[in-house]
Amino acid sequence: MVCITEAKEVFKAGYGAEATHLFTAAGRINVIGEHVDYCGGKVLPAALNLCCKIFARKNGEKVIRILLKGIDGVIELDLDKLDSYKDLKYGNYQAGVAYLLKEKGVGLVGCDLYYDCGVPFGSGLSSSAAIEVATAVALCELAGVSYDKKELALLSQKAENEYVGVNCGIMDQFASAMGKKEHAVLLDCATLEYEYVPLELGEYRIVVANCNKPHNLKESKYNVRRQEVETALKLIRQVKEVGCLAELTPKDFNEVKYLLSGAVAKRAEHVVMECDRVKQAVEALKTGDIVELGRLLNESHYSLRDLYEVTGKELDALSSFARKEPECLGSRMIGAGFGGCTISIVKKTAVDGFIRRVGKAYFDAIGYRASFYETSIEDGVTVTQL
Ligand code: GLA
């Protein structure tokens, strides 16, 4: 645990006292169900071993202090002015979570926090959700209040929507808070009902690759996509009573698609077909049909590329080089897109060669390197007394 010892030393050097607690919340992959969470669809994310760690102690003052690994300086959040940190470059996610907890009546206590985020930023592995959920857990634990992880996921999403200004869905925060070792979470984003599905891939593994083109949801077309699907829903509601786009089967959609045109039609078609693929993917996982799961991953990527238009040349290159590998069953971008990561299903024995060849082909085509991560699926949240 070299990194924990090191982090504790950084904490002590920064704050002049020992950390008393370590809180972690995970980044995530999403097996399938992309850009459907905000349309009431089902998603299938899983929490990763890459997580945001917060080393913490109470400071007896009315301030939350934040040190971030790799960033100089201490950020101070006054507990009485939590609504005034929206424009911070760093610390606004934490301030948003603290602000909403306080609004809910949680008696926050002052604390010193050191963030060591092992989820690469802007990678599509939900570093922001990991930071939000870990912060929410840390602040509740230090305040000595009981909490429900599902509620903290919702509060974290609200912080991102209303405080940070990214209109994200619930998938990332839910996976981070509720993830379970070796399982994916089949989450119905309309009702928040969920079920754990064992992520058993037999002789296959999921390889995560970062195309290293940074993305930022606030600056990307993410919010535009949300508006486009809302427009589609409004138009469809002229002729059909429907709560959300995800309620439509492909057959229902065929009957109403004459109402839509251009980009709006393509976006809605992606949502409906992706929801259908989630069903098929869960079936494939439950019956151990990994070949079929791989096919569905490929279909998902093509749809995100051609209909939802959120891939870009980097993610397309990375997933298409992966697909050319004989031991790879399927590959797709995950998360918001516009940069970030892919997942590929690769035979365990072929992983090293896969990484070497896909890495080289990507470098030759794009001009900079992709990163590959050795990942495992873990519990979303941990709390440790140091
Ligand atoms: C981002 C958002 C999620 C979800 C995905 C796309 O990760 O935070 O809510 O919309 O994009 O599936």
Side-chain angles (χ1 to χ4, degrees), residues 28 30 33-38 43 124-126 128-129 157 160 166-173 215 217 222 226 270 304 308 332-337:
R28 59 106 191 87
N30 183 21
E34 215 62 83
H35 282 284
V36 301
D37 61 344
Y38 49 82
V43 293
L125 299 176
S126 289
S128 33
Q157 180 205 14
E160 187 149 346
V166 174
N167 212 3
C168 65
I170 184 61
M171 171 170 77
D172 304 348
Q173 291 80 4
H215 79 162
L217 257 52
Y222 187 87
R226 288 207 59 159
H270 164 76
L304 289 156
Y308 222 66
R332 70 176 203 88
M333 60 145 271
I334 57 166

Side-chain angles (χ1 to χ4, degrees), residues 173-382:
Q173 291 80 4
F174 201 94
S176 183
M178 303 295 290
K180 179 171 160 183
K181 193 173 171 64
E182 284 162 18
H183 287 73
V185 192
L186 177 62
L187 169 67
D188 183 329
C189 299
T191 60
L192 292 190
E193 277 163 23
Y194 65 98
E195 167 193 343
Y196 290 112
V197 180
L199 209 46
E200 282 162 1
L201 301 180
E203 50 184 340
Y204 286 88
R205 289 202 53 167
I206 291 179
V207 176
V208 178
N210 186 348
C211 77
N212 282 331
K213 178 190 178 203
H215 79 162
N216 173 331
L217 257 52
K218 207 166 175 178
E219 286 154 20
S220 76
K221 295 244 165 64
Y222 187 87
N223 287 345
V224 176
R225 291 292 177 275
R226 288 207 59 159
Q227 285 155 14
E228 288 166 339
V229 288
E230 267 155 38
T231 305
L233 183 61
K234 267 193 212 128
L235 291 168
I236 292 169
R237 278 184 176 151
Q238 293 172 352
V239 299
K240 195 171 176 70
E241 250 181 61
V242 52
C244 57
L245 275 186
E247 276 175 22
L248 297 171
T249 63
K251 183 170 167 286
D252 296 335
F253 182 69
N254 269 333
E255 288 162 14
V256 294
K257 77 175 182 208
Y258 70 92
L259 293 162
L260 314 176
S261 64
V264 168
K266 293 207 272 183
R267 311 301 185 236
E269 183 174 343
H270 164 76
V271 171
V272 172
M273 298 311 290
E274 182 76 355
C275 289
D276 196 53
R277 280 188 286 272
V278 173
K279 267 193 223 152
Q280 297 179 52
V282 171
E283 203 43 43
L285 260 177
K286 287 184 175 167
T287 56
D289 190 349
I290 311 303
V291 173
E292 172 66 358
L293 181 67
R295 186 189 71 78
L296 292 163
L297 259 57
N298 289 338
E299 293 296 317
S300 170
H301 186 91
Y302 301 143
S303 179
L304 289 156
R305 180 190 67 193
D306 302 335
L307 297 177
Y308 222 66
E309 297 181 280
V310 291
T311 56
K313 69 175 192 306
E314 298 81 4
L315 288 168
D316 288 337
L318 203 47
S319 67
S320 96
F321 292 133
R323 252 173 249 126
K324 287 193 183 118
E325 289 287 311
E327 309 286 25
C328 172
L329 297 181
S331 181
R332 70 176 203 88
M333 60 145 271
I334 57 166
F338 311 104
C341 285
T342 60
I343 54 169
S344 306
I345 302 182
V346 184
K347 204 171 210 170
K348 266 183 204 161
T349 50
V351 168
D352 290 346
F354 171 90
I355 292 177
R356 220 177 26 251
R357 286 185 296 273
V358 174
K360 176 165 186 332
Y362 182 79
F363 179 72
D364 291 346
I366 301 293
Y368 51 82
R369 294 197 185 282
S371 314
F372 294 83
Y373 304 106
E374 282 280 325
T375 57
S376 58
I377 304 305
E378 300 295 336
D379 288 337
V381 163
T382 69

